[in-house]
């Protein structure tokens, strides 16, 4: 299999709910006016806490510094696994499950923090630029690794990215088992022909910028075990659009413009974290993806500024819940 280091240098940011009004103009430009910006990688995810915006350096220039904008300090590089020339699409299970054992677990063992972004089309594994040499050293036995430069795929070897840097030698530690919340919403993972984006512009603007009433915001304190959680994700990456929304939001869109897999599968969310997770802890994605991979259960995985979110098929939610409860009860092994 091939692992591609894509030609994007990304920033991970967060816009506060009450500060969104300061960013509607640049966000609308990044979503709808592709010819007015050189941004090629853009993702916006709304959660009850905030809006997570992941974007390349060209897109980041559009966001003005503000007390309402938090920026994670690192440059992140997106990795993508490709098998047989196609973005990983061979096994029965889809999403992060397919790369759990070959990518996620080995990086966790080497204490490399990852930020996941699953889309309708593929899965992006974001790693810090400063960790790239450890990433290449860790994964080069399993993968042919290429770096995309100006449209060309250039083979990469560990000596190309490090000066004799060895694998991360930190002591292995037992990762924290984070609490999970399983809301009642059913979710869809969908796509859209970019040429039809103008047709849904008013609906998308309404859902993204005007759907939270003050009453809703008061109710959504993190301590409450909510039946449903607000979650909507829009990505426009290298010309491909991906949307993740619950069925309530989906009903607002014209049915003939959004498309999903032929099975029309519905998904349930596992939200990971009781307190904001931060960016430095390693192994959070592995903790969820490993048991799913062992059971061959598909999963999309979307990291955000505060929490992580896995989407699993609705028919598997009972077994996934049991699996995660069992994991929490198991004694930690040293």
């Amino acid at each position: 299999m091939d692992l591609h280091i894509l030609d994007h240098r990304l920033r991970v940011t967060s816009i506060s709910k009450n500060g969104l009004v300061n960013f509607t103009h640049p966000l609308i430009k990044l979503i709808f006016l592709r010819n007015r910006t050189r941004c090629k990688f853009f993702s916006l995810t709304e959660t009850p806490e905030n809006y997570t915006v992941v974007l390349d350096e060209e897109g980041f220039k559009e966001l003005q510094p503000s007390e309402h904008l938090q920026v994670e300090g690192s440059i992140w590089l997106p990795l993508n696994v490709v098998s047989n020339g196609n973005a990983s699409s061979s096994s029965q299970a889809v999403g992060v499950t397919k790369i759990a054992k070959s990518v996620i677990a080995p990086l966790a063992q080497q204490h490399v923090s990852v930020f996941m972004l699953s889309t309708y089309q593929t899965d992006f594994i974001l790693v810090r630029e400063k960790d790239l040499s450890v990433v290449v050293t860790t994964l080069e036995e399993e993968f042919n690794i290429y770096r995309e430069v100006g449209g060309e795929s250039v083979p990469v070897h560990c000596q190309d990215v490090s000066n004799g840097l060895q694998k991360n030698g930190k002591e292995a530690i037992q990762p924290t088992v984070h609490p999970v919340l399983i809301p009642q919403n059913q979710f869809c993972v969908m796509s859209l022909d970019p040429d039809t984006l103008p047709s849904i512009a008013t609906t998308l603007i309404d859902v993204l910028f005007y759907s939270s009433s003050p009453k809703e915001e008061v109710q959504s304190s993190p301590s409450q075990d909510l039946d449903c959680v607000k979650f909507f994700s829009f990505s426009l990456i290298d010309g491909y659009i991906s949307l993740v929304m619950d069925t309530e939001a989906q009903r607002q869109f014209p049915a003939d413009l959004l498309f999903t897999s032929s099975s029309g599968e519905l998904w349930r969310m596992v939200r990971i974290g009781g307190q904001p997770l931060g960016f430095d802890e390693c192994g959070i994605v592995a903790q969820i993806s490993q048991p799913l991979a062992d059971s061959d259960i598909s999963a999309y995985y979307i990291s955000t500024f505060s929490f992580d979110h896995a989407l699993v098929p609705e028919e598997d939610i009972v077994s996934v819940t049991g699996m995660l409860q069992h994991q929490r009860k198991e004694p930690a092994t040293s």
Side-chain angles (χ1 to χ4, degrees):
M1 286 195 294
D2 297 343
L3 181 76
H4 288 248
I5 305 162
L6 304 182
D7 196 7
H8 300 291
R9 300 179 79 239
L10 306 179
R11 305 305 301 265
V12 178
T13 73
S14 167
I15 298 171
S16 66
K17 284 291 182 88
N18 60 358
L20 181 68
V21 65
N22 301 294
F23 293 95
T24 46
H25 179 253
L27 291 176
I28 285 172
K29 181 179 177 182
L30 289 162
I31 294 169
F32 297 108
L33 304 176
R34 284 174 293 157
N35 59 333
R36 299 287 182 102
T37 171
R38 295 168 64 186
C39 180
K40 301 286 187 250
F41 194 113
F42 173 82
S43 176
L44 170 66
T45 302
E46 181 184 4
T47 62
E49 299 75 32
N50 49 38
Y51 293 83
T52 296
V53 184
V54 181
L55 69 182
D56 61 23
E57 290 179 309
E58 287 295 331
F60 184 61
K61 291 175 186 174
E62 303 284 349
L63 304 182
Q64 295 301 311
S66 162
E67 62 180 330
H68 300 290
L69 178 71
Q70 284 184 273
V71 182
E72 202 283 325
S74 308
I75 298 290
W76 296 77
L77 303 177
L79 315 178
N80 186 224
V81 173
V82 177
S83 53
N84 305 323
N86 298 312
S88 54
S89 58
S90 54
S91 115
Q92 258 187 318
V94 301
V96 72
T97 304
K98 302 175 63 166
I99 53 174
K101 294 182 179 178
S102 58
V103 180
I104 304 297
L107 292 182
Q109 286 163 7
Q110 290 303 317
H111 306 278
V112 174
S113 180
V114 300
F115 187 96
M116 282 298 306
L117 179 60
S118 293
T119 67
Y120 178 85
Q121 291 82 14
T122 189
D123 301 281
F124 297 100
I125 309 117
L126 277 58
V127 298
R128 286 185 170 99
E129 190 172 49
K130 67 180 179 63
D131 290 333
L132 185 60
S133 53
V134 178
V135 171
V136 172
T137 306
T138 304
L139 300 180
E140 67 176 352
E141 286 182 21
E142 180 82 22
F143 294 95
N144 301 312
I145 302 178
Y146 298 90
R147 185 155 197 171
E148 295 189 1
V149 182
E152 297 288 316
S153 295
V154 181
V156 174
H157 305 285
C158 61
Q159 61 265 32
D160 299 334
V161 291
S162 69
N163 299 314
L165 183 71
Q166 297 302 305
K167 289 190 179 183
N168 203 327
K170 293 180 192 170
E171 194 70 24
I173 54 167
Q174 187 69 18
T176 305
V177 178
H178 291 281
V180 298
L181 172 70
I182 301 176
Q184 294 302 310
N185 321 44
Q186 297 171 310
F187 289 90
C188 318
V189 181
M190 315 189 82
S191 188
L192 174 76
D193 181 340
D195 292 337
T196 64
L197 189 55
S199 308
I200 65 159
T202 52
T203 306
L204 191 54
I205 289 170
D206 186 23
V207 169
L208 280 174
F209 301 130
Y210 297 101
S211 60
S212 293
S213 66
K215 181 181 166 193
E216 214 175 13
E217 287 167 13
V218 169
Q219 290 178 337
S220 63
S221 70
S223 60
Q224 288 178 283
D225 190 12
L226 300 175
D227 285 343
C228 294
V229 298
K230 180 74 182 183
F231 188 91
F232 186 95
S233 186
F234 172 92
S235 299
L236 176 54
I237 299 171
D238 291 327
Y240 291 96
I241 292 175
S242 175
L243 295 143
V244 178
M245 66 186 88
D246 66 13
T247 49
E248 187 177 335
Q250 182 202 7
R251 284 193 285 271
Q252 299 180 50
F253 289 88
D256 56 335
L257 293 181
L258 300 178
F259 52 87
T260 184
S261 61
S262 54
S263 60
E265 199 150 33
L266 291 175
W267 301 78
R268 290 285 298 278
M269 177 184 289
V270 178
R271 177 178 147 115
I272 301 106
Q275 297 294 321
L277 297 171
F279 289 86
D280 295 322
E281 186 180 339
C282 306
I284 300 172
V285 182
Q287 194 179 107
I288 301 295
S289 62
Q290 191 71 40
L292 294 177
D294 290 341
S295 301
D296 204 33
I297 294 173
S298 297
Y300 292 96
Y301 199 104
I302 299 176
S303 302
T304 63
F305 210 86
S306 300
F307 299 102
D308 280 9
H309 309 79
L311 293 169
V312 300
E314 185 171 42
E315 62 265 26
D316 293 318
I317 191 64
V318 173
S319 60
V320 169
T321 304
M323 201 184 298
L324 296 175
Q325 285 174 343
H326 176 72
Q327 188 181 51
R328 284 182 63 74
K329 288 174 188 167
E330 278 188 341
T333 54
S334 55

